[in-house]
Amino acid sequence: MSKKAKQSLLIGALTSSFGIFVSKMLGLFYVVPLNSLAGEGNMVFYSIAYTYYDLLLKVCGAGIPFAIAAMVAKYYSREDYKTVLLIKKLGSSLLLISSFVIALFFVAFSYPLASNVMGETAIESDIIALNNLFKILAIALVLVPYLSSVRGYYQGLKCLGIYASSQVIEQFVRVFSIIFLGYITVSIFRFDSIYAIYMAMLSAAIGAFITIIYLHINTRNEDHDIKELALNQQYNEKSAVSILSEMLSLGIPYLIISFLGTASSLVNSNFFMSYATGIGVEYNTAKLVLGILQVNCNKIAAIPQVLTLGFSAGLVPYLTEDLESHDYKALANHILDILDTVLFILIPVVTWLVIYAKPVYYIMYGNSNLDLGTEIFIVSSLTTLTDTIAPIISSTCITLRERKSTIIVLLISALAKFVSFFILIKLFGYNGMIYSTALASMIAIILNLYIIKRHYHVRYGRIFRRLIVTVFGAILSCLPLLLLLTGISFNYQSRLLCILMLGVFGVLSLLIYLAYSTYTGMFEMIFGKSPVSYIKKMIKK
């Protein structure tokens, strides 16, 4: 594979990742004011509702946007533009209808579900609050899947700039709505603090609606070009029946895979409250721990996990083209490049999250439950590595049409999560639910890598050699911590001072890692050029 082809894949994947990174960074901004408006005790409701929201989004249409992206890439490479337009029309219609039906069913069963999730010791007001949240999220369940279908279409066309910008717009509108509507309802109109959580869930629908309008206005040129190409096409498109059949054959397995991918969050949300209180944990303590983990910690740990969505989105059209052209050498190199790049970025970031866990948590959430939050954050940061890599490798397997094998692997992984959840909580307390997630992800990683190796003869020796170099660089970047031994320590009474100190330590760690990766040649091996070359290019511009 040429250097240009390699950079094309990485640029596409990093473009997608950048858009998601910005949207995730924007997502951090609402957590602090939402905590303040809703109260830390109410964050568990947002955590549970969002888990079901994420699950139902996958049920409503996780597979179809993926199928749309893969099929658009396939038929566009064949210059069958009429079929490309038919895929967009059928995919969007299918998602609208299916998501509306599922939303209705979810509303109908929201109360018994809320009662079951909160456990036998729950008070009625908590059950009602969760029930109301479930009903509100049904609105987003209709709009967000349709938005995903439109994104899938432009992803297949490799318009990853549009893909990324739409994510930023959606998240910006959502964050603004969460803060503004929460402040209006709780601080001005003096509604109960749970209304801040209601507004947070409603904001997902508002963000999707505005982004749909944005995409409709800003993709007219791309749509016009495809329609022009379709008008000049000499042969007819595929039949609607064959396209729908192909879409479902691609989408349904991916839907199952996406559903199984949420197993960890589902097990945590459905069983932690009842099991923890059943073995003696006080009800309010269990609520606090689950809220800290699945909202506070996950919001920060989700930043490096943008690589999952970015690279999963970026690899689909490229690996699809490799399969279509039977270029298995390029396919193997693409897979290795993806893993190299993700590990090169992810390992130092996770290292920094662990070593700077307390100041990061303090800056985000203040002194409230700082020690407990820091402890949970450190453990959850360690699992970020496995939880980021596992979905990327699963997406790779799906794109390589190893759907049956991937489903079996994720079934094994989900079973491992369920069984180990109760055992590890018994052994390690609340951190056991995090360890069980890491175990399940590691099982999925190992098995899926084996499947790729067996079917496509991908050799991972290069990955392991570079991994050793990367890990050593990440450890070396911790040298600024030696300053703490000289008496310098973070200030946990002033967020401004803590931010300044963390900035100094963070920049030092980053510079050490970049200097090390430049000296060893790792940076140039991953990105094709040295950091100095990129800086010179930026200066010239």
Side-chain angles (χ1 to χ4, degrees), residues 189-259:
F189 291 112
R190 301 296 178 183
F191 289 173
D192 188 272
S193 57
I194 191 63
Y195 273 80
I197 304 294
Y198 294 161
M199 294 301 103
M201 191 55 65
L202 179 63
S203 296
I206 297 172
F209 180 72
I210 297 298
T211 308
I212 290 169
I213 296 173
Y214 164 81
L215 283 173
H216 178 72
I217 294 172
N218 286 276
T219 56
R220 290 176 179 175
N221 290 335
E222 287 77 8
D223 292 344
H224 178 267
D225 291 343
I226 294 293
K227 288 175 182 177
E228 283 292 316
L229 290 168
L231 285 173
N232 295 324
Q233 186 174 313
Q234 299 300 315
Y235 52 92
N236 292 328
E237 72 273 18
K238 297 282 184 178
S239 69
V241 173
S242 66
I243 289 300
L244 192 59
S245 175
E246 184 178 355
M247 190 176 294
L248 291 174
S249 70
L250 279 171
I252 289 177
Y254 189 79
L255 186 153
I256 296 170
I257 289 164
S258 298
F259 174 80

Side-chain angles (χ1 to χ4, degrees), residues 179-421:
I179 298 172
F180 178 73
L181 295 177
Y183 180 77
I184 291 292
T185 53
V186 174
S187 296
I188 295 183
F189 291 112
R190 301 296 178 183
F191 289 173
D192 188 272
S193 57
I194 191 63
Y195 273 80
I197 304 294
Y198 294 161
M199 294 301 103
M201 191 55 65
L202 179 63
S203 296
I206 297 172
F209 180 72
I210 297 298
T211 308
I212 290 169
I213 296 173
Y214 164 81
L215 283 173
H216 178 72
I217 294 172
N218 286 276
T219 56
R220 290 176 179 175
N221 290 335
E222 287 77 8
D223 292 344
H224 178 267
D225 291 343
I226 294 293
K227 288 175 182 177
E228 283 292 316
L229 290 168
L231 285 173
N232 295 324
Q233 186 174 313
Q234 299 300 315
Y235 52 92
N236 292 328
E237 72 273 18
K238 297 282 184 178
S239 69
V241 173
S242 66
I243 289 300
L244 192 59
S245 175
E246 184 178 355
M247 190 176 294
L248 291 174
S249 70
L250 279 171
I252 289 177
Y254 189 79
L255 186 153
I256 296 170
I257 289 164
S258 298
F259 174 80
L260 292 172
T262 64
S264 292
S265 295
L266 278 176
V267 171
N268 291 346
S269 294
N270 279 286
F271 298 106
F272 179 74
M273 290 296 298
S274 57
Y275 184 68
T277 53
I279 61 174
V281 179
E282 200 268 326
Y283 176 74
N284 287 327
T285 301
K287 278 175 60 179
L288 180 63
V289 167
L290 188 60
I292 287 174
L293 172 64
Q294 299 209 148
V295 180
N296 293 5
C297 294
N298 281 1
K299 276 296 172 186
I300 305 172
I303 296 300
Q305 289 177 346
V306 300
L307 295 172
T308 295
L309 297 174
F311 275 78
S312 296
L315 63 85
V316 170
Y318 291 93
L319 295 186
T320 301
E321 284 186 2
D322 292 338
L323 281 177
E324 285 293 307
S325 61
H326 303 288
D327 190 349
Y328 297 112
K329 183 178 180 181
L331 185 147
N333 282 322
H334 277 146
I335 293 170
L336 293 176
D337 288 338
I338 289 164
L339 293 175
D340 275 341
T341 309
V342 170
L343 290 171
F344 180 81
I345 298 171
L346 188 61
I347 287 175
V349 170
V350 170
T351 303
W352 299 334
L353 285 178
V354 171
I355 63 175
Y356 299 125
K358 190 169 184 177
V360 168
Y361 196 89
Y362 168 72
I363 289 168
M364 290 301 303
Y365 308 113
N367 277 313
S368 177
N369 300 298
L370 178 58
D371 291 336
L372 176 63
T374 300
E375 178 193 348
I376 297 173
F377 181 42
I378 288 173
V379 179
S380 64
S381 295
L382 287 168
T383 63
T384 299
L385 189 64
T386 54
D387 290 352
T388 301
I389 296 171
I392 294 175
I393 298 174
S394 293
S395 295
T396 302
C397 285
I398 301 162
T399 307
L400 297 178
R401 298 165 191 169
E402 298 293 335
R403 293 182 286 276
K404 182 178 178 181
S405 298
T406 308
I407 289 172
I408 293 172
V409 166
L410 289 179
L411 278 171
I412 295 170
S413 175
L415 181 62
K417 166 64 184 180
F418 182 76
V419 173
S420 63
F421 174 82

Side-chain angles (χ1 to χ4, degrees), residues 349-508:
V349 170
V350 170
T351 303
W352 299 334
L353 285 178
V354 171
I355 63 175
Y356 299 125
K358 190 169 184 177
V360 168
Y361 196 89
Y362 168 72
I363 289 168
M364 290 301 303
Y365 308 113
N367 277 313
S368 177
N369 300 298
L370 178 58
D371 291 336
L372 176 63
T374 300
E375 178 193 348
I376 297 173
F377 181 42
I378 288 173
V379 179
S380 64
S381 295
L382 287 168
T383 63
T384 299
L385 189 64
T386 54
D387 290 352
T388 301
I389 296 171
I392 294 175
I393 298 174
S394 293
S395 295
T396 302
C397 285
I398 301 162
T399 307
L400 297 178
R401 298 165 191 169
E402 298 293 335
R403 293 182 286 276
K404 182 178 178 181
S405 298
T406 308
I407 289 172
I408 293 172
V409 166
L410 289 179
L411 278 171
I412 295 170
S413 175
L415 181 62
K417 166 64 184 180
F418 182 76
V419 173
S420 63
F421 174 82
F422 303 99
I423 297 171
L424 294 177
I425 287 180
K426 194 83 171 179
L427 292 173
F428 301 104
Y430 48 79
N431 283 330
M433 64 175 163
I434 307 174
Y435 298 143
S436 64
T437 299
L439 175 64
S441 296
M442 184 58 69
I443 289 171
I445 290 169
I446 293 170
L447 293 178
N448 278 326
L449 284 176
Y450 173 74
I451 290 168
I452 295 171
K453 179 182 179 181
R454 186 183 65 182
H455 290 174
Y456 296 95
H457 308 292
V458 179
R459 298 182 179 182
Y460 302 116
R462 185 184 97 184
I463 299 292
F464 291 118
R465 288 192 298 272
R466 293 184 179 182
L467 179 60
I468 293 170
V469 179
T470 301
V471 169
F472 186 78
I475 295 171
L476 197 64
S477 72
C478 299
L479 284 176
L481 282 180
L482 294 176
L483 292 173
L484 298 180
L485 301 178
T486 66
I488 300 174
S489 60
F490 285 98
N491 187 307
Y492 297 112
Q493 301 302 318
S494 167
R495 275 181 169 159
L496 178 59
L497 285 176
C498 196
I499 289 171
L500 291 173
M501 293 182 69
L502 183 61
V504 171
F505 276 79
V507 168
L508 287 173

